[in-house]
Structures are given as structure tokens and as C-alpha cells.
């Protein structure tokens, strides 16, 4: 009857799920972890050998990849790679704490060893059968075989004394199954399937766990993976499977029975080799130790300290707020069985709690949209924030007073209830709020772990406070560096303005000496305007924002284009084969714009076009008056737009950079900084216009600038089109 009671107790599995890791393998994991010559693949190999380690890694991985349900997780190696060394350390710490707390009889240790070997042998056989049947992916078969008895392992972790006789003596298997059926209406296969589906989302492994104890007649109509693991479980019997089991598998899979017997023997030898590698001898008790000796369990305080030491270590290596919150998420998942949580920051100006981080099954996905007004003083987060104490929705008093906000949070977190905890360090710094999603069945266990829970949150709060201090110090240093830079820049600008002033004075002298109708006088005017533009650009270096306010003035677009083309024509070499042409619409009015910014955009477009045609070609600048923009700007089209096009017949734009064309440092030309088009984009955006590009490989490129002919506050738009 003790076994039946054990099954009844273990059937619900409330709170953090405990699974006992094979002690010899746990010892090897610790050794490998602290061996500097070992790498992550060496640790992954050990996770592939133990069902408990594999399950715990998959569970943590699912928790860290919040919201992944429908897609089965990839192989064990990928899972271990994602949880990384930090996740491995957390699992190892928890496994050590559990074994130190619970203690295991030597006889129970032998039973655990048998269950471990059987799971490993089943996994190896499942992989071989999958290969023989050309089932893909083979990794699914291995993982399912390793986890098929996870329900039995969970029963053992909860009640090792009751389960050990069955495991050490296979003849006790039938009484266990009978007890399971009588007490729970299910068996360990169904319990294992429930655990796998709930904690890992691995539906394929859940199915194989549920049906691995089914009859031969039942699995005839099962899916291939269920048949493979069912068969592997039959062939994994020590020291060898019976002829009846081999024949049943042969009939099901249509594989020769003698071949299956040889395959089972070969895999049994592989499992024995792994056993010997770990230094475990299942036949011989430890020398000088009675089989009745029990490891003295450690107290709850020691377990808490053991866990916290792991949390502190992880926090010491966490750099940045996101890394600290990741440690919190991982610690609550591994040590407390809590996968769903929300972190809220306090906004003192708006008197709000604002979502900043979430993990688990959270809806809606945009956590920053979660805003809880503290004026709603009756809701649980506001009560916790005001009192500085942990509150929960499970107490009779609070349950009767739940507000709409509380019920919305519970629905969004998809849990039966919530726990609210202020996140404040020992020094009282910080005003964040932590919300934990808890199932009703898990709450009694979680409530007993309140001391550990508060200690973990306090440790994280201290790390967050230190991160804030580092950020504040970093901001102060950045401000000091900026002030120093501005001081040096101001001196440089002052010195540059001196020679510019001298040049401008000489230009005035030359202008006075030049005939009023001379073409040179117009050229001197253009040079003077460019010097003024250079002076304004230099002055912008000392502006706090890096640029000066844009003053709108009436700008003659055609005259500006003509001036720029005149400068470029004069600057081209005598033997150049570049031809600059213009087609200007005489109807263009003066538009409210900024001449400097417009010139900046056009000069960069012309410069780019010339550089794109080293062997020569034609560049044409076209201006047109539009009644509406080519592409609507904002909700409605603004009447009256000016379109300026700079077109060349060069090689066109490389397809590889089209999508990033207006980003800084993007170029297909060797030796160029890729800033020209980014500058054009910025200038057109400031002028409330739009910039479009049409380009055909081998057929040239056109850039189109569209500017409003009247002042407006419409939204700016930049687009990239590919001509067909």
C-alpha cells in the first residue's frame, strides 16, 4: 500500500519538479565543468546520457525561449548550447542541493542506477532502430528514448523508498502498474507524458512516454516514433531481451528477430562501457559501507544557502540590466519552478508601473504597453508597492477583493494567480515591481519557499541597483567627455573662421575690381556663398545637437541648380568625357526651403553620379512642377510639389545594397566612406520632402527629390524603388 500512496502523492507534482540525477554522472559533470580544457560539447555529451539532466535542460530552454509551444525543440546539443554555462551551473547547483537535502539509501542508489542504464540503453536502441527504418530526425528518437521513463524517475525523486524495490527487482513492475491504475487512474507513462508536455513542449517525446507501456496489439496503429521507442524499451531489458520480446518487435517493425537480438547485445555493451567510464559498478556495494546506511539530509537553510551561492555567482558575472534579469528568470525557473514573470518599472512622474521585461506565456507580447496606475490603490501591484511587502491573490482576503486589473494580469499571464513583490535592495534602492504567475496547485509549495524567493529577489535588486550606479557614473563620464570635446571644437572653429574671414575680405576686394557685367563676378558670388555655407557647417560643430536650426526662405530652385552645375562644369578636367545637362521647368516658383540644405543634397548626388562613371557618361538634372507628390505624404496629398531629378547612364546600383542605400557607410565603391546618400537623405528629410531612387542594373540611376511648394508639417518619406 505504501507504493500506491507514493504514486498518489507524486501524481500531481506541485511546485518545483524534482528529478534525481544519477550521482556518478553528476560527479563527472562537476569535474568536467571545472576542467579548463573541456568545452561546451563535453558537457553536452553528459546531458545526452542522463534523462534528468536532459529534461531539466529542455525545461529551462523552453522557459528562456518564452512563448515557444507548437514547434518541438531541436536536439539536446542545441538545447545545451542555448542555456550555456550559466544554465548548466544552475541545474548542477539544484541537483546537488536536492541530493544533499534528500539523501539516498545505497539500495535506492542501485535502483536509480538501473533506471539510468535502462533509459540510456533505450535511447541508444531508439537511435539505431530509427536509422534502420530511415526515420528522420534520428535525434528525436534518441531524445524520446532517453525521456520515455521520466514519469518513473519523477516518482523515484518524490518517494525513493517506495519505488526502489520495483526498480531493483523487475518482478515488482506489475504491482507498481496495478497500484498506479487503482490510485490515479493512470500509470507512470501518462505521468511522464504530462510532465514532458507541460514543461518542455516536446509533444513527440510526450506521446512515446505515454504509450511505451501499451500492448503490442495497441501500438500496431501508432505513429512510427511511438513504435520505435516502444520497441527500444522492450529490447533494453537486462541482461538481454526475451525471445518473445524480440519476436514482438520483429513483427511490428518488420526487422529480423536475430538481428534485433544482436543489436540489443551491442547496445547493452555500449551502455556498460559508459557505466565503466563513469566508475560505477552496479554489482558491488561501496567498500566498508552498509547497504542500510543513509546519507544525512541537509536542512532547509543549507539548501537555501547552496542555491543562493549559485545565484550570487551568476549575478557577479552578469553585465547590464538585461543580463541581471536573465539570471532572475533562470533562477526562478530552475529553483522555484516559476516560468511566468513580469518586471515593472516605477514612473514617478506619471505615478505608474510600466512593464519592462517578461518571460513565459505572456499576452499581449508588447510588455511595454502594460501600464498600471498607482492611483488604482486597491489592485495587488499597487498594494505591494505601497506597503513594500509581498502580496498574493491566493489568500482568502485578497481573493475576495481582486480588482479588474488583477484579473486582467492573471488572464494575461495565463495562470491561476499572481504574486507581487517589490524589488528593493538591502539599502532600500529601487522601486521596481515583480509579478509572478503561479498555478493554484503550485502555490502551497511556493509559499513554503518564501524565504528563498525573497532572498533571490533581494540579490537581483542589489545587482540592479549597482547597474544603475554604473550607468549614472557612465553618463557623468560621457557628459565630461562631451564638454571637453565641445571646448576643443570651439577653439578649432574659432581658428578656422579666421582664415575664412581673410578669404572673404579678399573676395570683396576682387568683386569691387571686377566689371559689373563680367561672368567672373557671378563666379565670385558663388564662391562667397560656398564659403558662407562652410562657415555655417563649421559653426554647427559647436551646437549641442550637432546642427543649427533650419531657417526657411524663398529659394529659386532652378537658379540653385544652375549655380551648382556651373561649379561642377568648371571643376571637370579638360579631357573629361562626363557631360552635364539640364532640363529646367521655367514654371517653378520660389519655394519655402533652405538653400544650404538643398545645395548639400544636389552636390552629393552629382558627386556620386560622377564617381559612378569613371569612363564617362551623361548626367542630367531635371526640374518639374507637380500638382501632387508622386507618392502621398501623410494622410492626404499636398497640392503643389517641386520634383528635382538627378539621372545618370552609369552601371546602376548593386542589388546587394539597395535595401540599405540611405544608411551611413553603405557603398559599392572602393575607397569611399558611403556617407553621400545618407547626407542627402538627412537633408531631404529636414526639408520635409521625399527621396526616391530608381535604378536598373546596366541601365543607369535616377534620384528624385520631391519638395513641398508651400510650408507644411507633413510626414517625411524616403523610398527605394527597383525599375523593372
Amino acid at each position: 500500500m505504501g507504493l500506491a500512496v507514493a504514486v498518489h502523492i507524486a501524481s500531481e507534482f506541485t511546485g518545483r519538479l524534482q528529478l534525481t540525477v544519477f550521482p556518478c554522472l553528476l560527479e563527472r559533470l562537476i569535474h568536467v565543468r571545472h576542467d579548463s580544457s573541456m568545452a561546451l560539447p563535453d558537457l553536452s555529451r553528459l546531458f545526452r546520457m542522463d534523462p534528468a539532466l536532459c529534461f531539466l535542460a529542455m525545461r529551462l530552454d523552453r522557459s528562456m525561449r518564452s512563448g515557444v509551444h507548437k514547434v518541438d525543440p531541436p536536439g539536446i546539443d542545441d538545447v545545451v548550447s542555448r542555456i550555456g554555462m550559466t544554465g548548466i551551473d544552475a541545474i548542477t547547483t539544484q541537483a546537488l542541493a536536492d541530493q544533499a537535502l534528500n539523501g539516498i539509501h545505497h539500495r535506492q542508489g542501485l535502483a536509480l542506477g538501473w533506471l539510468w542504464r535502462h533509459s540510456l540503453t533505450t535511447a541508444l536502441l531508439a537511435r539505431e532502430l530509427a536509422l534502420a527504418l530511415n526515420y528522420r530526425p534520428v535525434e528525436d528518437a534518441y531524445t524520446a528514448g532517453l525521456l520515455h521513463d521520466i514519469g518513473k524517475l519523477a516518482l523515484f525523486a518524490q518517494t525513493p523508498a517506495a519505488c526502489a524495490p520495483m526498480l531493483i527487482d523487475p518482478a515488482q513492475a506489475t504491482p507498481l502498474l496495478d497500484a498506479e491504475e487503482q490510485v490515479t487512474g493512470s500509470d507512470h507513462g501518462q505521468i511522464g507524458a504530462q510532465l514532458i508536455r507541460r514543461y518542455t513542449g516536446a509533444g513527440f517525446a510526450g506521446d512515446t512516454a505515454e504509450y511505451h507501456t501499451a500492448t503490442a496489439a495497441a501500438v500496431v496503429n501508432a505513429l512510427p516514433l511511438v513504435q520505435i521507442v516502444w520497441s527500444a524499451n522492450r529490447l533494453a531489458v537486462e541482461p538481454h531481451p526475451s525471445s518473445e520480446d524480440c519476436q514482438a518487435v520483429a513483427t511490428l517493425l518488420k526487422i529480423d528477430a536475430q538481428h534485433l537480438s544482436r543489436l540489443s547485445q551491442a547496445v547493452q555493451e555500449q551502455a556498460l562501457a559508459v557505466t565503466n567510464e563513469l566508475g560505477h559498478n552496479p554489482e558491488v556495494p561501496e567498500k566498508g559501507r552498509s547497504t542500510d546506511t543513509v546519507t544525512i539530509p541537509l536542512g532547509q537553510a543549507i539548501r537555501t544557502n547552496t542555491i543562493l551561492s549559485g545565484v550570487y555567482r551568476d549575478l557577479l558575472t552578469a553585465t547590464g540590466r538585461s543580463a541581471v534579469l536573465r539570471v532572475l528568470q533562470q533562477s526562478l525557473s530552475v529553483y522555484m519552478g516559476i516560468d511566468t514573470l513580469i518586471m515593472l518599472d516605477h514612473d514617478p512622474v506619471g505615478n505608474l508601473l510600466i512593464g519592462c521585461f517578461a518571460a513565459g506565456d505572456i499576452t499581449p507580447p508588447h510588455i511595454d504597453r502594460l501600464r498600471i496606475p498607482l492611483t488604482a490603490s486597491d489592485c495587488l501591484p499597487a498594494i505591494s508597492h505601497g506597503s513594500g511587502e509581498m502580496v498574493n491573490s491566493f489568500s482568502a482576503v485578497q481573493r475576495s477583493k481582486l480588482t479588474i486589473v488583477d484579473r486582467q494580469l492573471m488572464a494575461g499571464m495565463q495562470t491561476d494567480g499572481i504574486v507581487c513583490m517589490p524589488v528593493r535592495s538591502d539599502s532600500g534602492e529601487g522601486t521596481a515591481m515583480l509579478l509572478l504567475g503561479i498555478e493554484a496547485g503550485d502555490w502551497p509549495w511556493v509559499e513554503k519557499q518564501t524565504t528563498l524567493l525573497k532572498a533571490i529577489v533581494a540579490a537581483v535588486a542589489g545587482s540592479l541597483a549597482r547597474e544603475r550606479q554604473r550607468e549614472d557614473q557612465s553618463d557623468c563620464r560621457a557628459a565630461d567627455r562631451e564638454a571637453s570635446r565641445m571646448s576643443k571644437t570651439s577653439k578649432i572653429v574659432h581658428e578656422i573662421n579666421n582664415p575664412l574671414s581673410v578669404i572673404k575680405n579678399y573676395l570683396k576686394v576682387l568683386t569691387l575690381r571686377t566689371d559689373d557685367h563680367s561672368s567672373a563676378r557671378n563666379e565670385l558670388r558663388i564662391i562667397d556663398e560656398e564659403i558662407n555655407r562652410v562657415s555655417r557647417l563649421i559653426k554647427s560643430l559647436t551646437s549641442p545637437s550637432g546642427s543649427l536650426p533650419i531657417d526657411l526662405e524663398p529659394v529659386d530652385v532652378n537658379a540653385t541648380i544652375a549655380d551648382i552645375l556651373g561649379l561642377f562644369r568648371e571643376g571637370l578636367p579638360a579631357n573629361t568625357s562626363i557631360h552635364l545637362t539640364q532640363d529646367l521647368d521655367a514654371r517653378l516658383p520660389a519655394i519655402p526651403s533652405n538653400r544650404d540644405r538643398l545645395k548639400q543634397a544636389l552636390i552629393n548626388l552629382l558627386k556620386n553620379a560622377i564617381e559612378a562613371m569613371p569612363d564617362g557618361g551623361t548626367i542630367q538634372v531635371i526640374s518639374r512642377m507637380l500638382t501632387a507628390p508622386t507618392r502621398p505624404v501623410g494622410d492626404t496629398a499636398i497640392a503643389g510639389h517641386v520634383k528635382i531629378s538627378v539621372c545618370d547612364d552609369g552601371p546602376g546600383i548593386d542589388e546587394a545594397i539597395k535595401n540599405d542605400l540611405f544608411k551611413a557607410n553603405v557603398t559599392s565603391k572602393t575607397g569611399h566612406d558611403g556617407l553621400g546618400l545618407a547626407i542627402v537623405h538627412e537633408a531631404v528629410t529636414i526639408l520635409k520632402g521625399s527621396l526616391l531612387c530608381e535604378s536598373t542594373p546596366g541601365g543607369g540611376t535616377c534620384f528624385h527629390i520631391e519638395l513641398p511648394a508651400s510650408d507644411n508639417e507633413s510626414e517625411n518619406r524616403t523610398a527605394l524603388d527597383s525599375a523593372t
Side-chain angles (χ1 to χ4, degrees):
M1 191 61 185
L3 187 57
V5 174
V7 174
H8 178 67
I9 293 173
S11 62
E12 296 299 330
F13 292 106
T14 59
R16 185 190 58 77
L17 176 66
Q18 294 187 22
L19 293 175
T20 306
V21 179
F22 183 46
C24 292
L25 201 143
L26 181 58
E27 182 180 355
R28 176 58 61 88
L29 176 62
I30 296 170
H31 173 75
V32 172
R33 173 65 182 92
H34 294 91
D35 186 342
S36 58
S37 65
M38 299 294 184
L40 200 60
D42 301 297
L43 295 166
S44 179
R45 176 174 176 266
L46 298 179
F47 275 76
R48 293 178 61 85
M49 293 181 184
D50 187 87
L53 287 176
C54 176
F55 182 93
L56 293 171
M58 292 174 69
R59 181 186 186 283
L60 178 59
D61 177 55
R62 181 171 184 259
S63 172
M64 294 169 68
R65 293 190 301 144
S66 303
V68 178
H69 306 285
K70 298 181 180 180
V71 180
D72 287 330
I76 301 172
D77 292 338
D78 293 329
V79 169
V80 173
S81 176
R82 275 198 299 272
I83 66 174
M85 291 297 187
T86 303
I88 290 173
D89 288 342
I91 291 172
T92 304
T93 300
Q94 183 58 55
L96 277 171
D98 286 344
Q99 293 199 13
L101 178 65
N102 297 328
I104 298 177
H105 285 272
H106 183 64
R107 183 175 178 82
Q108 294 167 5
L110 294 177
L112 181 62
W114 178 89
L115 180 57
W116 167 74
R117 289 195 309 278
H118 178 75
S119 298
L120 178 61
T121 304
T122 302
L124 294 170
L125 279 167
R127 182 175 61 189
E128 295 300 324
L129 293 175
L131 289 171
L133 297 171
N134 197 30
Y135 177 87
R136 295 294 184 275
V138 175
E139 183 69 13
D140 283 4
Y142 181 90
T143 304
L146 191 65
L147 297 180
H148 81 287
D149 253 348
I150 203 72
K152 199 176 290 183
L153 187 61
L155 290 173
F156 178 86
Q158 295 288 87
T159 54
C163 293
M166 182 279 298
L167 297 179
I168 203 69
D169 181 4
Q172 297 293 321
T174 301
L176 173 68
L177 295 177
D178 291 341
E180 291 172 339
E181 292 288 352
Q182 292 172 8
V183 177
T184 68
S186 64
D187 58 25
H188 67 274
Q190 291 175 310
I191 293 173
Q194 177 188 1
L195 295 175
I196 291 172
R197 290 165 185 156
R198 176 181 177 185
Y199 289 113
T200 72
F204 68 88
D207 293 341
T208 58
E210 181 170 0
Y211 299 115
H212 79 274
T213 59
T215 63
V219 295
V220 169
N221 297 317
L223 293 176
L225 187 58
V226 171
Q227 294 180 340
I228 288 172
V229 175
W230 182 91
S231 301
N233 181 55
R234 292 297 184 279
L235 298 176
V237 177
E238 293 183 356
H240 52 76
S242 66
S243 57
E244 291 80 6
D245 283 335
C246 286
Q247 189 57 52
V249 174
T251 302
L252 178 65
L253 301 183
K254 296 180 175 54
I255 299 177
D256 180 69
Q258 291 185 351
H259 173 71
L260 291 173
S261 179
R262 291 192 296 271
L263 180 64
S264 174
Q265 182 179 354
V267 170
Q268 295 272 15
E269 291 174 357
Q270 290 182 44
L272 180 61
V274 173
T275 302
N276 293 333
E277 177 189 344
L278 296 175
H280 174 64
N281 187 343
E283 305 297 333
V284 181
E286 185 176 335
K287 184 176 180 180
R289 177 180 178 182
S290 167
T291 58
D292 294 329
T293 302
V294 183
T295 302
I296 300 175
L298 299 177
Q300 182 69 25
I302 297 179
R303 175 180 180 272
T304 299
N305 289 338
T306 302
I307 292 174
L308 286 176
S309 66
V311 175
Y312 292 144
R313 181 187 62 244
D314 294 341
L315 289 173
L316 286 173
T317 59
T319 303
R321 179 183 171 90
S322 60
V324 172
L325 292 176
R326 186 177 177 85
V327 172
L328 171 66
Q329 174 193 358
Q330 178 180 276
S331 300
L332 292 179
S333 176
V334 173
Y335 304 132
M336 302 293 299
I338 300 172
D339 296 321
T340 304
L341 61 94
I342 294 175
M343 181 71 79
L344 302 160
D345 280 335
H346 179 226
D347 174 16
V349 177
N351 200 24
L352 298 169
L353 292 174
I354 302 175
C356 64
F357 177 80
D361 302 331
I362 305 293
T363 55
H366 303 292
I367 193 62
D368 58 334
R369 296 180 184 174
L370 177 59
R371 294 168 180 264
I372 302 175
L374 291 175
T375 52
S377 56
D378 293 335
C379 70
L380 294 180
I383 293 173
S384 179
H385 187 271
S387 65
E389 300 294 333
M390 183 177 84
V391 297
N392 69 84
S393 63
F394 296 101
S395 68
V397 174
Q398 297 296 353
R399 190 163 57 248
S400 64
K401 297 180 179 179
L402 292 180
T403 66
I404 293 178
V405 171
D406 299 324
R407 298 185 188 280
Q408 285 183 292
L409 289 172
M410 291 159 59
M413 300 178 83
Q414 302 181 48
T415 53
D416 298 331
I418 56 173
V419 173
C420 305
M421 299 184 66
V423 182
R424 293 175 180 165
S425 63
D426 294 337
S427 61
E429 293 185 35
T431 53
M433 175 64 57
L434 178 64
L435 307 184
L436 306 176
I438 309 291
E439 300 296 341
D442 293 344
W443 170 242
W445 187 89
V446 172
E447 188 176 24
K448 293 178 181 178
Q449 312 300 316
T450 300
T451 300
L452 175 60
L453 178 58
K454 289 182 176 179
I456 292 175
V457 173
V460 169
S463 291
L464 291 175
R466 287 189 291 274
E467 287 300 322
R468 283 193 296 271
Q469 291 174 357
R470 277 198 288 266
E471 290 174 1
D472 291 343
Q473 293 172 356
S474 177
D475 290 344
C476 289
R477 288 193 295 268
D480 291 341
R481 287 194 298 269
E482 178 65 13
S484 176
R485 185 191 70 81
M486 291 295 290
S487 176
K488 293 179 181 178
T489 303
S490 297
K491 295 176 182 177
I492 294 173
V493 168
H494 177 77
E495 292 303 315
I496 292 177
N497 278 327
N498 287 335
L500 286 179
S501 297
V502 174
I503 295 173
K504 283 181 66 63
N505 288 333
Y506 272 99
L507 281 175
K508 290 179 181 178
V509 173
L510 291 174
T511 301
L512 293 174
R513 294 178 180 177
T514 306
D515 191 316
D516 290 343
H517 302 288
S518 170
S519 61
R521 194 178 185 92
N522 185 54
E523 292 170 353
L524 290 173
R525 175 187 61 79
I526 295 174
I527 294 173
D528 185 61
E529 288 181 357
E530 289 302 299
I531 290 176
N532 289 335
R533 191 164 73 90
V534 170
S535 179
R536 287 190 289 272
L537 286 173
I538 293 173
K539 187 178 180 181
S540 71
L541 294 176
T542 58
S543 172
S545 63
S547 61
L548 293 175
I550 300 301
D551 295 325
L552 298 181
E553 59 183 351
V555 174
D556 186 335
V557 173
N558 285 344
T560 302
I561 294 173
D563 284 350
I564 294 173
L565 288 177
L567 281 175
F568 271 85
R569 288 191 185 99
E570 292 298 328
L572 291 174
N575 60 348
T576 184
S577 54
I578 296 286
H579 301 285
L580 298 175
T581 65
Q582 62 191 49
D583 180 4
L584 306 181
D585 188 344
R587 299 174 301 162
L588 258 60
I591 66 172
S593 190
N594 181 275
R595 184 176 171 84
D596 283 351
R597 288 292 184 177
L598 181 57
K599 291 177 71 173
Q600 185 182 39
L602 293 175
I603 288 172
N604 276 282
L605 288 178
L606 287 168
K607 181 173 175 290
N608 267 15
I610 292 172
E611 291 172 349
M613 301 186 299
D615 298 326
T618 299
I619 301 172
Q620 186 177 35
V621 182
I622 306 167
S623 68
R624 290 290 183 268
M625 186 68 195
L626 305 177
T627 57
T630 303
R631 293 198 173 191
V633 181
D635 295 332
T636 59
I638 306 298
H641 275 70
V642 170
K643 180 178 180 180
I644 307 169
S645 301
V646 178
C647 301
D648 65 63
D649 55 6
I653 295 173
D654 190 344
E655 292 285 344
I657 66 171
K658 272 190 174 183
N659 291 334
D660 299 320
L661 193 59
F662 300 121
K663 295 180 180 179
N665 306 121
V666 174
T667 181
S668 59
K669 295 176 286 188
T670 305
H672 292 267
D673 53 23
L675 294 176
L677 291 179
I679 292 172
V680 175
H681 173 211
E682 179 185 13
V684 173
T685 300
I686 290 173
L687 295 177
K688 298 184 175 67
S690 64
L691 174 64
L692 298 91
C693 173
E694 294 179 336
S695 181
T696 302
T701 300
C702 279
F703 285 95
H704 306 288
I705 298 173
E706 294 184 10
L707 300 174
S710 60
D711 194 14
N712 67 84
E713 298 298 328
S714 58
E715 179 184 354
N716 303 318
R717 177 166 183 162
T718 300
L720 174 66
D721 293 334
S722 298
T724 57

